[in-house]
Amino acid sequence: MDLEKKPVVSDVGAWGMNVVSSVGIIMANKQLMSPNGYAFCFATTLTGFHFTVTALVGWISNATGYSVSKYVPLWELVWFSIVANMSITGMNLSLMLNSVGFYQISKLSMIPVVCLMEWILHSKHYTTRVILSVIVVAFGVGICTVTDVEINAKGFLCACVAVFCTSLQQITIGSFQKKYNIGSFELLSKTAPIQAASLIVLGPFADYYLNGHSIVKYHYSTGAVFFILLSCSLAVFCNMSQYLCIGRFSATSFQVLGHMKTVCVLILGWILFDSALTIKNILGMLVAIFGMIVYSWAVEADKKAAKFVSAKGSDILNGEDVKLLKDKSNGLIDSDLEHGQMKS
């Protein structure tokens, strides 16, 4: 009997890696991009650096035999990379054109959008308890983060593009892994080079449009280079764990439980950067955490219910098979008796 191959990283380990690396990269980027830090205001180009290092790690992994390259059609990789890059650019434009409050609302809207798209594309249905827990999480995070809300036409359009492309990207990650039977890291190794090349070329132009500064004129101090390398290193684990989590669970679960990162960022911002933490923030975090716990319970309860229904259906089928076998055996006996009577 072949032993079942166990995953290198456990489910809890995958979530932990994603939360730690995501929070770490936010803290590193805050120091790197802040005017009080190193004022590296080139977010799109920095993302290109992230995917360049990720692609390099993937190439080394394939060259050393740690991972195996599998076939995915080039056109699938190209359109996925276009959607992913539009997600990154759309988010940066949304943050620039909208108020922080509306930007946070647009990020929260990804949860219902992902649910809707999974229902349309994969006919996935959600129980009432899952839907209610999602609403509780969104409400809690909204209390934490949403302050002023100002809307304008350009900002609204960019937010819509960002939410749609991000949701589609996350759903597609899971679909590709199932469709081509490819692992999370192997898929990331396929998509990262295309995203890196396109963002390195187009990123400086997008950043110049966003903030009016040219990356060519930026002065790279030792501290800035250190934080760029730190950000790129954390991005490898962040990208890897994102593909890993979505492949094992779903885009919806990744969105819901991913808001734990928002809670951690608020707490660390208060500890490390003296950011204000009000009663409103604390209450919002508690509501969000409660919603995440309820969501986890609801998903597990649905899985157990599905297994029970499947087992019950299997028992019914087994009963029908027994009945058919009995009918067939009785038919054979009757046939033998008829042949015996004819012979006599």
Side-chain angles (χ1 to χ4, degrees):
M1 183 183 292
D2 293 328
L3 293 173
E4 187 179 350
K5 188 179 179 181
K6 293 182 179 179
V8 177
V9 181
S10 66
D11 294 347
V12 175
W15 281 119
M17 185 195 301
N18 186 254
V19 171
V20 171
S21 59
S22 298
V23 173
I25 201 172
I26 290 170
M27 294 293 111
N29 288 351
K30 190 168 184 177
Q31 180 64 26
L32 178 64
M33 296 182 174
S34 171
N36 297 326
Y38 296 98
F40 187 84
C41 52
F42 310 102
T44 311
T45 307
L46 180 62
T47 308
F49 294 161
H50 290 170
F51 280 107
T52 300
V53 175
T54 303
L56 179 62
V57 171
W59 179 79
I60 293 172
S61 177
N62 288 332
T64 55
Y66 180 77
S67 59
V68 180
S69 179
K70 291 189 177 180
Y71 174 75
V72 178
L74 180 62
W75 71 271
E76 295 256 47
L77 296 174
V78 169
W79 84 256
F80 172 83
S81 299
I82 291 171
V83 169
N85 290 349
M86 286 180 67
S87 163
I88 294 164
T89 308
M91 279 295 179
N92 290 338
L93 286 170
S94 175
L95 183 59
M96 182 188 78
L97 297 173
N98 295 312
S99 64
V100 176
F102 184 75
Y103 174 75
Q104 290 296 341
I105 288 175
S106 67
K107 287 180 70 177
L108 287 173
S109 69
M110 286 182 199
I111 300 177
V113 171
V114 166
C115 291
L116 180 63
M117 291 179 72
E118 284 194 321
W119 174 66
I120 293 171
L121 297 174
H122 303 301
S123 302
K124 188 171 182 178
H125 296 277
Y126 299 90
T127 59
T128 305
R129 53 193 171 194
V130 170
I131 294 171
L132 289 175
S133 63
V134 167
I135 293 172
V136 172
V137 172
F139 180 71
V141 176
I143 293 173
C144 290
T145 58
V146 177
T147 51
D148 59 313
V149 179
E150 296 177 8
I151 305 174
N152 61 77
K154 287 183 180 179
F156 180 76
L157 179 62
C158 290
C160 290
V161 171
V163 169
F164 175 79
C165 290
T166 303
S167 303
L168 182 60
Q169 176 210 7
Q170 292 180 357
I171 291 172
T172 305
I173 289 172
S175 299
F176 276 7
Q177 291 186 46
K178 293 174 184 175
K179 184 177 179 180
Y180 297 107
N181 192 27
I182 187 171
S184 54
F185 185 70
E186 286 77 12
L187 178 60
L188 179 61
S189 301
K190 291 281 188 182
T191 59
I194 300 173
Q195 285 188 254
S198 54
L199 288 172
I200 289 294
V201 172
L202 301 175
F205 298 100
D207 289 327
Y208 184 78
Y209 173 77
L210 286 168
N211 53 52
H213 296 283
S214 173
I215 194 171
V216 179
K217 297 179 181 179
Y218 180 77
H219 174 67
Y220 292 90
S221 63
T222 304
V225 172
F226 170 78
F227 275 98
I228 288 172
L229 292 175
L230 177 62
S231 180
C232 290
S233 301
L234 290 167
V236 174
F237 293 100
C238 186
N239 291 329
M240 193 188 308
S241 58
Q242 179 188 8
Y243 279 58
L244 198 61
C245 290
I246 293 174
R248 290 191 188 180
F249 306 101
S250 68
T252 304
S253 295
F254 182 76
Q255 278 292 329
V256 173
L257 300 179
H259 281 296
M260 178 57 73
K261 293 177 282 191
T262 306
V263 174
C264 292
V265 167
L266 287 172
I267 294 171
L268 286 176
W270 172 63
I271 295 171
L272 300 177
F273 299 101
D274 294 326
S275 300
L277 194 63
T278 63
I279 297 296
K280 179 188 167 200
N281 296 138
I282 296 170
L283 288 175
M285 285 188 284
L286 292 174
V287 171
I289 291 170
F290 173 74
M292 292 174 203
I293 293 170
V294 174
Y295 177 83
S296 302
W297 167 81
V299 170
E300 286 302 316
D302 288 347
K303 284 181 181 178
K304 289 179 181 178
K307 286 180 181 178
F308 177 76
V309 171
S310 177
K312 192 174 180 181
S314 178
D315 291 341
I316 292 170
L317 287 174
N318 289 337
E320 289 178 353
D321 291 341
V322 171
K323 186 179 177 183
L324 284 172
L325 286 171
K326 285 182 178 179
D327 290 343
K328 284 184 179 181
S329 62
N330 290 335
L332 287 171
I333 291 169
D334 292 341
S335 177
D336 291 340
L337 287 173
E338 289 175 4
H339 286 302
Q341 286 173 357
M342 288 177 65
K343 285 178 183 179
S344 59

